[in-house]
Amino acid sequence: MKESIRKANQYIDENRVKVNQQYRGAFHLLPPIGWMNDPNGFVYFRGEYHLFYQFYPYDSVWGPMHWGHAKSKDLLHWEELPVALAPSESYDKDGCFSGSAIVKDDKLYLLYTGHVDDEEKREETQCLAVSTDGITFEKLPTNPVIYAHHIEGIADIADFRDPKVFEYQGNYYAVVASKTPDDRGQILLFASSNLVDWTFTSVLLEGEEGQGIMWECPDFFPLDGKWVLILSPIEMERQQEKYWNLNSTVAFIGDMNWETGRFHVDSYDELDGGLDFYAPQTCQGPNGERYMVAWMQMWHRSIPSHDLAHGWAGSMTLPRKLSLKDGRLVQELPESVNEYFLVEHVSETIVQGNQITIPARGKQTLFELDAKPGCSFILSYSDKTDPDSVLKLIYDASQKRFSLSRDQFGHLITGKENPTFQSRWIQLDAEKDHHFSIIRDTNSIEVFVDGKTLSMTFYETTENPVYTLTADEGVDWVVKTYQK
């Protein structure tokens, strides 16, 4: 592996200056060059958060997967680290696919999927790598550690990937994504005493018809007295305003029976109501708090930073702090984001009533809006000289919905969804107060309201941009901008 790692790092160092910076954000984790997708190995290790990710340094399209790597003290500012994994062995020669990380005996272990895709076979197995310094990793000579023998008669080795490892009551467990013979997603549970020797425990959860033809990127964790299983179904059927993306994300909430190895679901819901959010993974912080981060992009969609030959594609969302409230998963901004804007913002506007237009002073902005019951607003971002090209966020209290749209704005993003769409919406209770936190960073918007989120990318072509808020009298707002 050392040679493939050396080659990748050398390529990055020699070519990073060629990357066009126009659409790159200031406080989202980005690849230094090339392609990024799923977050991997989100873990707290020796006083810092480490986040790995699916990475192909040699082009801004998906290719044989490596593991990129970064670390952060505050979940906002990320320090690039050397490539952690690269295809090098017979069991991962076509890619080191998604996985996770865990700390054991002050060493950092990565459990990942080794991918082989020959003409005569496609095989996915689970493999282990270990590091004493958190930067350089050695693959175990006994890899793979979970393979065909473990799932004989249970799942197809061709679709068996994305292990999430965790410790519970002194034992190690891993949930792994797979599918049933009739193309329904299922999550398998494995157990180990040492991370090396694994046994199959159970089918943790099996999907119903309409819940996706394959489940990817599972994560399973306790939270506020319940167990939560998050995963990413492929081609889940639309349900009113939910699951419009070809690849969705879902959180199942319920109780775990460790004697049977079965997860009993009380409820489930879509994790994000926007256009760009996939493959989320969580990390437990030093004080027991749990954060989640996702790939802020979508499969089978065009990506302008690639189409324009900017040399990179993909980014991560801001991490979100998780909790349970009234039986549903709540997502909030981490404290570091608010502290960042409190310290670093260069202007603040406090407004009450009707309409205001302000120039876009920078590309990093935090909007905070409070809407009283029954009050609506429209927040738009447009070019003063081209009113037809508008990025819109609309809260319509009469319709009980909040929507965001990039229709007719900037470089067109196309996908395989049928019918196609450039906007999405969520339902809100119009009889309640609502606090909106809207984070804009260069080419993305993330909205936090009532514990729900919507995430969206965009690639503007505006030259004279302004923000305009049109609001009822019952809407107050604060705008904080930061110029990088």
Side-chain angles (χ1 to χ4, degrees), residues 182-479:
D182 60 344
D183 290 336
R184 288 177 292 115
Q186 65 177 0
I187 302 301
L188 309 182
L189 180 67
F190 299 85
S192 174
S193 61
N194 58 10
L195 296 179
V196 177
D197 303 300
W198 292 88
T199 57
F200 171 77
T201 297
S202 62
V203 177
L204 183 81
L205 185 66
E206 187 176 289
E208 299 174 357
E209 186 176 353
Q211 289 184 331
I213 61 172
M214 171 71 189
W215 284 354
E216 294 189 316
C217 303
D219 195 347
F220 193 51
F221 52 90
L223 187 67
D224 298 337
K226 289 287 186 177
W227 280 83
V228 180
L229 174 66
I230 63 175
L231 53 86
S232 300
I234 298 173
E235 296 182 20
M236 188 161 178
E237 291 182 2
R238 292 185 182 182
Q239 299 176 15
Q240 296 178 328
E241 79 278 12
K242 299 178 181 179
Y243 314 114
W244 281 39
N245 296 323
L246 195 64
N247 296 51
S248 298
T249 54
V250 181
F252 293 91
I253 299 170
D255 297 300
M256 178 62 185
N257 187 327
W258 287 101
E259 292 184 359
T260 63
R262 299 289 292 185
F263 178 50
H264 300 278
V265 176
D266 296 335
S267 63
Y268 70 93
D269 203 356
E270 188 171 27
L271 269 168
D272 188 274
L275 292 102
D276 296 288
F277 186 95
Y278 194 69
Q281 189 171 111
T282 72
C283 166
Q284 191 169 28
N287 300 312
E289 66 275 45
R290 189 163 293 270
Y291 297 101
M292 178 178 69
V293 67
W295 180 42
M296 194 158 48
Q297 196 57 61
M298 186 53 55
W299 291 113
H300 307 299
R301 296 245 183 95
S302 61
I303 304 177
S305 61
H306 166 71
D307 298 337
L308 296 168
H310 284 195
W312 69 280
S315 69
M316 295 299 160
T317 65
L318 287 173
R320 292 101 187 265
K321 189 175 182 179
L322 301 183
S323 62
L324 289 183
K325 183 178 181 181
D326 299 328
R328 70 178 182 90
L329 194 65
V330 171
Q331 304 176 53
E332 299 175 297
L333 282 170
E335 292 84 352
S336 58
V337 175
N338 288 310
E339 292 171 358
Y340 172 76
F341 276 95
L342 283 173
V343 174
E344 300 288 352
H345 74 266
V346 296
S347 68
E348 181 173 314
T349 305
I350 302 176
V351 182
Q352 291 185 335
N354 297 102
Q355 186 180 91
I356 186 172
T357 299
I358 62 171
R361 301 179 182 89
K363 294 188 175 183
Q364 289 75 42
T365 310
L366 169 63
F367 297 89
E368 293 180 329
L369 296 94
D370 289 292
K372 296 176 182 177
C375 295
S376 303
F377 68 82
I378 299 174
L379 175 63
S380 63
Y381 177 74
S382 63
D383 192 318
K384 288 187 293 186
T385 63
D386 186 8
D388 294 327
S389 179
V390 184
L391 194 70
K392 281 189 176 181
L393 291 80
I394 303 173
Y395 175 47
D396 186 339
S398 66
Q399 296 294 318
K400 300 181 179 180
R401 65 170 62 180
F402 174 81
S403 64
L404 46 69
S405 172
R406 62 188 178 202
D407 191 30
Q408 305 300 320
F409 182 82
H411 292 284
L412 179 65
I413 297 174
T414 58
K416 287 189 175 181
E417 288 88 358
N418 187 18
T420 59
F421 55 91
Q422 295 291 346
S423 63
R424 287 198 63 191
W425 59 276
I426 61 171
Q427 288 187 321
L428 295 176
D429 187 346
E431 303 303 315
K432 293 183 177 180
D433 293 337
H434 298 297
H435 179 77
F436 296 83
S437 293
I438 302 169
I439 302 286
R440 184 265 169 102
D441 184 12
T442 309
N443 77 320
S444 67
I445 283 182
E446 293 167 87
V447 180
F448 293 74
V449 53
D450 295 354
K452 301 178 180 181
T453 62
L454 303 92
S455 306
M456 179 177 73
T457 61
F458 60 89
Y459 298 81
E460 68 174 292
T461 55
T462 52
E463 295 182 0
N464 300 288
V466 294
Y467 291 104
T468 303
L469 180 81
T470 305
D472 294 340
E473 290 290 346
V475 177
D476 300 337
W477 69 320
V478 176
V479 183

Side-chain angles (χ1 to χ4, degrees), residues 19 24 29-36 53 55 80 312-315:
V19 173
R24 290 171 67 84
L29 178 57
L30 301 158
I33 191 173
W35 168 273
M36 164 191 278
Y53 53 90
F55 181 41
E80 180 190 340
W312 69 280
S315 69

Side-chain angles (χ1 to χ4, degrees), residues 126-196:
Q126 316 318 316
C127 311
L128 201 64
V130 61
S131 173
T132 57
D133 61 7
I135 298 176
T136 56
F137 292 83
E138 295 290 337
K139 298 175 183 177
L140 264 61
T142 53
N143 276 336
V145 295
I146 308 176
Y147 50 97
H149 164 75
H150 294 85
I151 59 170
E152 187 174 353
I154 300 165
D156 187 350
I157 197 69
D159 286 293
F160 176 54
R161 55 184 175 269
D162 312 335
K164 181 60 163 67
V165 61
F166 61 98
E167 184 179 4
Y168 181 68
Q169 294 185 344
N171 291 316
Y172 297 102
Y173 295 93
V175 287
V176 186
S178 68
K179 63 192 297 187
T180 65
D182 60 344
D183 290 336
R184 288 177 292 115
Q186 65 177 0
I187 302 301
L188 309 182
L189 180 67
F190 299 85
S192 174
S193 61
N194 58 10
L195 296 179
V196 177

Side-chain angles (χ1 to χ4, degrees), residues 54 65-67 85-87 92 94-98 112-114 139:
Q54 292 285 273
M65 286 292 96
H66 296 52
W67 274 38
L85 296 176
D92 67 8
D94 296 315
C96 298
F97 275 21
S98 290
Y112 72 98
T113 296
K139 298 175 183 177

Side-chain angles (χ1 to χ4, degrees), residues 45-58:
F45 178 63
R46 296 183 185 173
E48 296 175 299
Y49 294 94
H50 286 249
L51 183 54
F52 302 81
Y53 53 90
Q54 292 285 273
F55 181 41
Y56 186 59
Y58 302 107

